Amino acid sequence: MNGVPPAIRAALRGKTSQCSLPAALAADATKEWPIFMAERPCKILSITVVPQALITGANANTFHWNVKNRGTDGLATTEIGNVDFVAGTNAAAFDGREIVNEVAGRRMTAGQVLTIEREKIGTGIAAPEALVVVAYEYEA
């Protein structure tokens, strides 16, 4: 199924995992949450965040969403995707914002954990509650 867009491939033979991301106040410190654990070897097709409210980016005081593969022991820090809400980078309410896609070729082994981090920049901006959708397929 090479050449088939990741979203269509996920619908045809992929799986999804969903979780809720809590809201954060502008003043809240940087924080990280687990969002997915690979039960067996798999390939990440996409990671999409659907915010509950509008996010309007800014340059000096903002936040970044960083997706990391923390490995099997929680100590790894490999960033596999991010969105930095700088000026001009916004996210509409209830509209999915893809953070990671298959082009990055994200393979995971059994037991590896993905996290999403809300990284506060400057004095920050508020982050709304959001839905995180991880689309993946098992490797043969």
Side-chain angles (χ1 to χ4, degrees):
M1 293 187 64
N2 289 338
V4 176
I8 293 173
R9 199 153 111 202
L12 294 175
R13 67 180 245 206
K15 301 181 177 304
T16 60
S17 174
Q18 300 182 20
C19 66
S20 180
L21 189 61
L25 300 173
D28 288 352
T30 295
K31 190 167 182 179
E32 191 171 0
W33 299 269
I35 59 170
F36 178 78
M37 185 177 93
E39 297 174 357
R40 60 188 211 202
C42 64
K43 182 175 184 178
I44 300 300
L45 300 175
S46 65
I47 298 175
T48 304
V49 179
V50 183
Q52 180 267 335
L54 172 69
I55 301 169
T56 302
N59 282 331
N61 301 306
T62 189
F63 75 89
H64 302 171
W65 273 330
N66 305 311
V67 176
K68 298 177 184 180
N69 182 333
R70 297 296 248 149
T72 57
D73 59 6
L75 300 177
T77 59
T78 304
E79 186 174 300
I80 66 167
N82 69 300
V83 61
D84 299 344
F85 287 101
V86 296
T89 302
N90 307 312
F94 305 108
D95 188 15
R97 176 77 185 204
E98 191 172 71
I99 295 179
V100 174
N101 62 46
E102 184 190 20
V103 173
R106 305 299 175 205
R107 287 186 160 70
M108 296 182 69
T109 59
Q112 288 186 324
V113 173
L114 291 179
T115 63
I116 190 166
E117 173 187 62
R118 178 199 171 266
E119 179 185 9
K120 177 183 170 184
I121 306 299
T123 58
I125 57 173
E129 184 175 341
L131 173 68
V132 180
V133 181
V134 179
Y136 64 100
E137 65 184 12
Y138 290 127
E139 303 242 290

